[in-house]
Amino acid sequence: MIETGIIKFSLYQIAEILGLGHGGWTWQRIRKALERMKTTNIHSKQSFYLKGKNVYVDDVFSYIDNVRFYQLGDESRTNNCTCQVKFSKYYIESLKGHYIKPFDFGFYWSLGDPIPKRLYSLFDKRSYTSPTVTFDLIELGKIIPLTKRPPSKIRQCILPGLNLLKERGYLVDYSFRKSVGSKGEALIVRVKGKEDIDPEVKALAESIFEDIVRNIGVEHRSEKFYRRICEKLPRNIIYRALSEVREEEQHGQVQSKIALFTTKIKRFADEADIPIYD
């Protein structure tokens, strides 16, 4: 996709990823969502970067240039309702320049309930420039969104989500205080930064290591490499490599899963400009 700007997938695959049921209503919802993405304009406000030209783009554009739906002759459910999406040049150039902030989709879905998911997406967006972010409770209730409630009820609704995000190591801490110059109340959160020690890092790295061993296998030489990448690389890079190896294996194109996985990891890390070895 990063070379052509185009990806192809079936609506069945998207439903599987999102954990939705299969059927006409689901396909219709996914199609409508893609259509809305196509017709929605974005004002970048220097959010996108053209690396080759060394300029920040302040422009109004579409995130997606083209969405195409078509039917294949194969009647298999996994191949019907196939979709092709072509992304805009701004998005692709910024992706190539590693200027887009990654979003941990796996962590998002692992949160389960809608409110902690929404809080995570808001905090992750707002904490891009500073790990400490302040929200007016009334405004936060509108953004989530919650039904119209006083600050005390909003606090009650979001407390379980805040505690979950803190338990999972994403939030360092949070607090409530009176908003400056008003009778309202504010939420202050501190998102875990690079300098903060995550108590779950070792357990998470071990879990990812076990996934690699289970799917790829392990040799004496590869075990040290696996443990290093589990500590150094974002999960999305590792699971992308695992997914591609599984897919190629299904097509009978793999002689050595360990060698192929290692090659892909090194290439993806190089593309993301993340050194595996210091």
Side-chain angles (χ1 to χ4, degrees), residues 103-112 120 168 235-236 239:
F103 182 77
D104 193 335
F105 195 67
F107 180 75
Y108 173 85
W109 282 107
S110 73
L111 295 172
Y120 169 64
R168 296 289 298 276
R235 282 175 288 176
N236 64 305
Y239 284 110

Side-chain angles (χ1 to χ4, degrees), residues 244-245 248-258 260:
E244 290 193 7
V245 170
E248 292 184 27
E249 183 184 26
Q250 291 173 358
H251 291 83
Q253 302 172 350
V254 179
Q255 294 182 350
S256 169
K257 291 196 291 185
I258 293 177
L260 180 61

Side-chain angles (χ1 to χ4, degrees), residues 46-58 90 93-94 99:
Q46 299 190 355
S47 298
F48 287 79
Y49 178 60
L50 300 181
K51 188 175 182 180
K53 298 180 181 180
N54 194 29
V55 296
Y56 292 88
V57 178
D58 188 356
Y90 295 137
E93 290 299 323
S94 291
Y99 189 68

Side-chain angles (χ1 to χ4, degrees), residues 8-9 23 45 74-75 81-83 92 103 127-128 142 146 177-178 184 186 228:
K8 295 181 180 180
F9 50 86
K45 295 183 180 179
D74 188 349
E75 294 183 357
C81 304
T82 298
C83 179
I92 295 299
F103 182 77
S127 62
Y128 184 68
K142 294 177 182 178
L146 300 172
R177 71 182 183 197
K178 292 293 183 181
R228 178 176 290 274

